[in-house]
Amino acid sequence: MARVTPAAPVADVVGGRTAKALRDGLGIETVEDLLRHYPRRYIDPGDLTDLDALATGEHATVLAEVKSVNTRRMQQRKGTITEVVVSDGRGRLTLVFFNQAWRAQRQLQVGRRGLFAGTVSAYGGTRQLAHPRFVLLPADSDLEPDSEAQAAFADLLIPIYPATAGLPSWKIQQAMRLALDAVDAIADPLPADVRAAEGFMSLDEALRQIHRPVDQEAIEAARARLRFDEAFGLQVVLAQRRALLEGQSARPRVATKDGLLAAFDAQRPFPLTGAQERVGVEIAADLETDHPMHRLLQGDVGAGKTLVALRAMLQVVDAGGQAALLAPTEVLAQQHVRTLRAFLGPMAETGLLAGSGPCTRIAFLSGSQGVRERREELLATASGEAGIVVGTHALLEDAVDFAELGLVVVDEQHRFGVEQRAVLGTPDRDGQRPHTLVMTATPIPRTVAMTVFGDLEVSVLDEYPPDRGVIATHVVAPREKPAHLARAWTRVREEVEAGRKVFVVCPRIGDEVDDAPSDAEAPTMSSVLEVADELRDRYLTGLRIGILHGRMASEEKDDAMRRFTADSADEGAIDVLVATTVIEVGVDVPEASTMVILDADRFGISQLHQLRGRIARGGGDGLCLLVTAADVDSPARERLSAVAATTDGFELARVDLQARREGDVLGTAQSGRRSSLRLLEVVRDEDIVERARVAATSLIEHDPTLADHLLLRDQVAALSEDDRSDFLEKG
Ligand code: ADP
Ligand code: MG
């Protein structure tokens, strides 16, 4: 066969039908794509597959032995059904064929072994494969074994590939064999010294061994090499980005002795936690250098990130710069304004109201504010009168002009895209860039942080302010225990009578146009509008009930939050706020003690954790009720039980991670793109990521543009092109 390069279309080595199936089913276009489709596992032709380990719904390929073949006429319909029982010696699996008696009898003789592929289903308690595809191990009596069987069983270890219905594993194996025989030696982009230091085989060897291993050891060696490659590629991209950042400049913002920060610290209502103190020092030092700070501040819900951000902003304002605080929702942005004004008191008064000490104006910009107000705030921003500018993504519009932007704080980073972050990071006329501080409550395992946010320094707030209450969380399942929901509402009433506030969270608003049930049987989800009415009329009569959701106007939202935050004794105060997840991030109402989440199974683990973080923030204890109609042993119920079992955000993140693949963590699942990570599992492979990071950093130090490593340069360029935004820097 003619030689081909890795870039050649896969149709150059396999037939047109197979090429089409590879493309349609697996997205494989080139020979290289094919070679990068790695086996999931391997079977030794001597070892039968453990049939008990098969899960229903799984697309499985098993090696098993035929135990019995039984054909009968069907009762309801015309035709025959053939049931072939195969076994691994212990477990059994039934293969079902319709109207294929001749084939089963001729080919599937008792005692023959073969590979069987199909989707596992359960029928009357037994697991089965309906219409599986199969190849049989050549028997001694086969005078002319078919080539497919010969190819499948020729290898010492049979690779089992992630397959599709149209393309069983052994067909992929066959295609691989053709590709490996035809392809030129594959050039190795990994620098020779790194390869030598790690003791790796060449890329060519690794690809050959992973598909046609000589033994188990070779598989491990090949995997180790290819796993490292994945980590290394990413780390080179990140090392390049760090090098780029180091070349950028920013104005140093040196702390002053008698500015806003000093005045604020002198009158601050509570001492800093140890963690706030430590992180504060790290940030203060970053701000004083002439490179832009790029720091990720990670701290669980309620750890006190806002205060850390405020102190950083004050340092910058003291040094003549402005600070922008970016929030993902308008509700949160409005709250930040209220919080900052409350924290600063007279220091946030300017003009005639200003006292004698240092002060600055806090401006607020949002997409839905009135024209006149917006113009005023824009002016205060452009003139520099406002030291602190708070806003939603509206802050990112071209129309917003800062006098001298010195610091950008992004709250709840996981809600923002990279491009948005980048807009604020652009240099000013003198080529100076603002410092950036990115805050998130999503606990990120160290290696994921290293992979996803590898161009950021990381600070962790791992301590809570002292007066945080304890939150008890319970799952309430009215379908099983109808009285419990009524008890929940009684409890809500008691809390309100004791002067506390209650959130009721619903998965939808209820004013959707296409709300008419298209499927009468689909269970409808609770909605803010309906639930608020129902509570007012029936369950919580006499209590003051407000609503909050994303489609309310800006002033309405602000008004609802104000009234919910107001003292219960005030006229117009709200006791119970029925809301969507707009309150999910950051909302801080100290009197809120209780949260009832309806249809809680509609929310993910981290979302529930965020929601729950809204209560028990003012010293007292909290109660969170997760109301659900999900079945007792459904995965959804397991999620709820996990949330009820702990309030430790890191523990919940671990549970969450176990349930999802890393692709999700890295954002690839959402984007629907193929991840460049096939073998590497970022959490498990911490030491590989670490080694790759060291090697990549040292490489970029010596060869920043990869001029001496052209193959690697191309590979890395493709990688950062492909996966850029939401993969490397999670949006
Ligand atoms: P998050 O990290 O979730 O954004 P916040 O910044 O909203 O948390 O802080 C949670 C609550 O703790 C707020 O009410 C805040 O005023 C309070 N808080 C912050 N720091 C301290 C501290 N050092 N001592 C006491 N309370 C604090
Ligand atoms: Mg916050």
Side-chain angles (χ1 to χ4, degrees), residues 268-274 276 297-308 332 335-336 339 343 411-412 439-441 461 464-468 585-590 610 613-614 617-618:
R268 181 156 35 77
F270 33 66
L272 299 177
T273 64
Q276 284 171 328
L297 173 58
Q298 210 186 311
D300 202 358
V301 176
K305 294 185 289 294
T306 318
L307 188 60
V308 173
L332 187 54
Q335 176 192 284
H336 276 322
T339 307
F343 267 139
D411 196 14
E412 307 297 350
M439 309 200 288
T440 177
L461 271 189
Y464 297 103
D467 56 355
R468 238 172 57 122
V585 289
V587 166
D588 189 30
V589 180
Q610 287 280 342
R614 304 302 114 221
R617 293 167 79 93

Side-chain angles (χ1 to χ4, degrees), residues 461-656:
L461 271 189
D462 50 5
E463 190 184 340
Y464 297 103
D467 56 355
R468 238 172 57 122
V470 176
I471 301 175
T473 305
H474 302 289
V475 177
V476 175
R479 276 213 334 223
E480 293 144 39
K481 306 221 165 89
H484 283 193
L485 190 56
R487 276 236 298 277
W489 298 129
T490 310
R491 184 62 195 272
V492 166
R493 188 182 287 279
E494 287 164 8
E495 288 295 315
V496 170
E497 280 163 3
R500 291 186 278 268
K501 308 275 185 165
V502 177
F503 287 106
V504 176
V505 181
C506 303
R508 68 189 180 99
I509 300 173
D511 63 351
E512 292 81 356
V513 188
D514 52 0
D515 231 17
S518 54
D519 176 357
E521 279 180 317
T524 47
M525 288 181 285
S526 313
S527 75
V528 169
L529 300 178
E530 286 163 14
V531 168
D533 282 343
E534 224 176 319
L535 293 180
R536 254 183 227 118
D537 297 346
R538 255 181 92 187
Y539 300 104
L540 300 175
T541 47
L543 301 191
R544 294 164 296 181
I545 293 169
I547 60 169
L548 183 67
H549 60 74
R551 274 212 282 277
M552 286 161 56
S554 179
E555 311 84 68
E556 287 177 323
K557 283 188 220 166
D558 197 30
D559 184 56
M561 276 311 289
R562 256 178 224 289
R563 292 168 63 192
F564 188 57
T565 321
D567 192 292
S568 298
D570 290 0
E571 199 177 328
I574 287 172
D575 306 310
V576 177
L577 189 66
V578 185
T580 55
T581 51
V582 289
I583 55 139
E584 176 191 348
V585 289
V587 166
D588 189 30
V589 180
E591 289 74 33
S593 66
T594 304
M595 176 174 285
V596 181
I597 306 179
L598 299 173
D599 292 311
D601 46 279
R602 299 291 171 148
F603 304 105
I605 288 183
S606 65
Q607 212 174 9
L608 291 169
H609 179 61
Q610 287 280 342
L611 283 167
R612 176 173 59 179
R614 304 302 114 221
I615 56 173
R617 293 167 79 93
D621 290 344
L623 174 69
C624 176
L625 300 176
L626 307 174
V627 182
T628 180
D631 286 335
V632 175
D633 35 38
S634 61
R637 268 296 269 283
E638 273 166 35
R639 279 205 314 269
L640 298 184
S641 305
V643 174
T646 180
T647 49
D648 179 341
F650 274 88
E651 175 58 28
L652 287 174
R654 252 191 305 276
V655 175
D656 213 5

